[in-house]
Amino acid sequence: MRRAEEQYTTLCKEDMSISRYSICADQIRVFATLAVVMLHVSANGLNSSPFGSDSWWLANFFDAASRSSIPLFVMLSGALLLSAPIGDPRQFYQRRFSRVLLPLVVWSIFYSGWTMLKAQVKGQPIMTEQVWLNLVSGTPYFHLWYLFMLAGLYAIAPVLSLALHSAQQRFNPSSSWYLLLAVITSAIYTLGYSTFVDDWPWPFWFIGYIPLMVLGAVLWGKQSSVGVVGLLCCYLVMALIIARLCYIQLAHYPEVAGIYSYQYLSLPVLGASIACWYLLSRPYRISAGWCKFIAPYCFGIYLLHPAFLDLSQMLFRPLALPTAITMLVQFLFVFALSLASCIGYSKLRRRVPMSLKRGRE
């Protein structure tokens, strides 16, 4: 039995170095997707709960614990794109931008229409100029900013790859240097927080995430000397710190725009993200099957889940359920319907070409 476990762990480590669809990559991708859904569900719980109440603290903690979602996505992109040198930039751009630009255009159009439809249903029509302003500013819907930022990271990826591998060949810096770079970037963001929040146009959003992308490439395949329990405790402690700082800011510094500890580039979120990264970089046999099944649909779930979240708000608000129950039911409802829709679309997409092929025959 022990020999089988060792063989399984060895296989996973080899898989991490050669396969884009490794078990550990699937674990990170699925957890980050679940965290994004929980993040948006708990945000509704925060908005609907009295400040400082038990239900508010519950929603605040789950929101804080989910803040590592976007950093994990960025780090995973770095691990999969920058771990090996990018050979032909033209081929890279053709392959990658087709996977980002087309969804960005299609879903921006969809959610622009969705925004107008929601406004009509609520009896609060929105001006067409506002829809265009949201689109130009990179936020046609609250979650699509990530695609605009990701396009910038993809655009600079060949340059980052060249710089990263040149540095490794010439200086061979340890991963601690790259971790220090991420901490310094986060510290600069912290010091200039009031300057950076909501002021930069979307073509520059990717700049602050470059160290996270590089860090993901450097840490890929490396294990932490801290055990699973230690990493889990570190992640939970950082989540508690994020939640506590949120309360302190809202209670004592409400004039500061945005919640600092909730920002993806803040120091506590960086700490939680690194702990979570190391935690999920270990292969867990118990979750391998589920992660392998869900992972191909994660991008679709990310794009689709806000629509089901809006529907769940309309369905569950009249029920006046306790916040904890509402959050749980909403989370399961949104994730299950998003996953089912992605599976259904995938099957339909496979059947249509087969039907066309049979028709030609």
Side-chain angles (χ1 to χ4, degrees):
M1 183 69 178
R2 184 175 180 180
R3 183 180 179 184
E5 292 288 344
E6 291 175 351
Q7 291 175 346
Y8 175 76
T9 303
T10 302
L11 177 63
C12 290
K13 289 181 180 179
E14 294 174 352
D15 186 43
M16 287 180 69
S17 63
I18 63 175
S19 174
R20 182 172 181 271
Y21 297 104
S22 73
I23 294 171
C24 296
D26 285 347
Q27 290 176 169
I28 295 170
R29 189 179 288 111
V30 171
F31 176 84
T33 303
L34 291 169
V36 164
V37 177
M38 176 53 71
L39 174 66
H40 296 148
V41 168
S42 58
N44 289 334
L46 275 172
N47 294 331
S48 61
S49 301
F51 176 71
S53 64
D54 291 343
S55 59
W56 185 90
W57 273 109
L58 178 66
N60 182 24
F61 174 77
F62 279 108
D63 194 308
S66 304
R67 288 287 157 176
S68 58
S69 53
I70 295 300
L72 287 176
F73 276 136
V74 173
M75 292 174 70
L76 184 60
S77 295
L80 300 178
L81 298 180
L82 304 181
S83 293
I86 296 176
D88 185 359
R90 180 180 300 179
Q91 185 179 6
F92 171 84
Y93 287 136
Q94 289 176 346
R95 185 170 62 251
R96 290 292 164 183
F97 276 105
S98 63
R99 298 179 182 179
V100 173
L101 292 183
L102 182 59
L104 189 152
V105 171
V106 171
W107 287 99
S108 293
I109 295 173
F110 172 82
Y111 277 108
S112 294
W114 183 261
T115 299
M116 299 180 73
L117 177 62
K118 277 178 55 181
Q120 290 290 341
V121 171
K122 292 181 178 180
Q124 302 171 347
I126 187 172
M127 299 294 290
T128 306
E129 291 79 3
Q130 183 61 48
V131 175
W132 279 108
L133 181 62
N134 293 342
L135 186 61
V136 172
S137 63
T139 53
Y141 217 62
F142 61 84
H143 69 308
L144 290 182
W145 74 271
Y146 174 70
L147 293 188
F148 285 82
M149 185 274 293
L150 189 63
L153 287 178
Y154 280 3
I156 202 174
V159 178
L160 290 179
S161 176
L162 180 62
L164 175 62
H165 292 285
S166 296
Q168 289 177 334
Q169 290 175 1
R170 291 185 180 183
F171 309 108
N172 192 27
S174 67
S175 56
S176 300
W177 286 102
Y178 297 100
L179 178 59
L180 178 62
L181 176 62
V183 171
I184 291 174
T185 302
S186 182
I188 293 173
Y189 177 84
T190 301
L191 294 174
Y193 172 66
S194 59
T195 303
F196 295 125
V197 172
D198 297 330
D199 286 338
W200 285 27
W202 69 262
F204 300 101
W205 287 350
F206 75 94
I207 294 176
Y209 293 89
I210 291 175
L212 280 176
M213 192 177 190
V214 174
L215 187 63
V218 173
L219 296 182
W220 186 239
K222 293 182 173 62
Q223 296 292 323
S224 171
S225 59
V226 181
V228 173
V229 175
L231 290 171
L232 182 60
C233 289
C234 180
Y235 169 68
L236 293 176
V237 167
M238 295 311 299
L240 290 172
I241 291 174
I242 294 170
R244 181 61 181 174
L245 288 177
C246 169
Y247 174 81
I248 292 174
Q249 180 177 332
L250 292 178
H252 302 288
Y253 307 99
E255 69 280 0
V256 178
I259 301 174
Y260 163 71
S261 64
Y262 275 8
Q263 305 303 310
Y264 298 120
L265 295 178
S266 68
L267 284 169
V269 171
L270 175 63
S273 301
I274 293 173
C276 196
W277 175 269
Y278 276 124
L279 191 63
L280 296 171
S281 293
R282 302 165 182 254
Y284 300 102
R285 196 170 204 168
I286 190 172
S287 62
W290 285 103
C291 289
K292 185 176 181 180
F293 173 73
I294 297 174
Y297 307 110
C298 284
F299 188 49
I301 294 171
Y302 180 89
L303 294 171
L304 188 57
H305 81 274
F308 289 115
L309 181 62
D310 291 337
L311 291 175
S312 69
Q313 284 288 95
M314 295 173 59
L315 291 174
F316 300 137
R317 185 181 290 117
L319 300 179
L321 298 172
T323 300
I325 297 177
T326 301
M327 288 175 54
L328 175 60
V329 174
Q330 269 193 306
F331 174 77
L332 296 175
F333 176 89
V334 172
F335 181 77
L337 288 185
S338 300
L339 177 60
S341 299
C342 292
I343 294 173
Y345 172 76
S346 179
K347 290 184 177 180
L348 180 63
R349 188 178 179 184
R350 286 196 298 265
R351 288 181 180 178
V352 170
M354 292 176 61
S355 300
L356 293 176
K357 185 177 180 181
R358 290 172 184 172
R360 293 191 188 102
E361 294 175 351

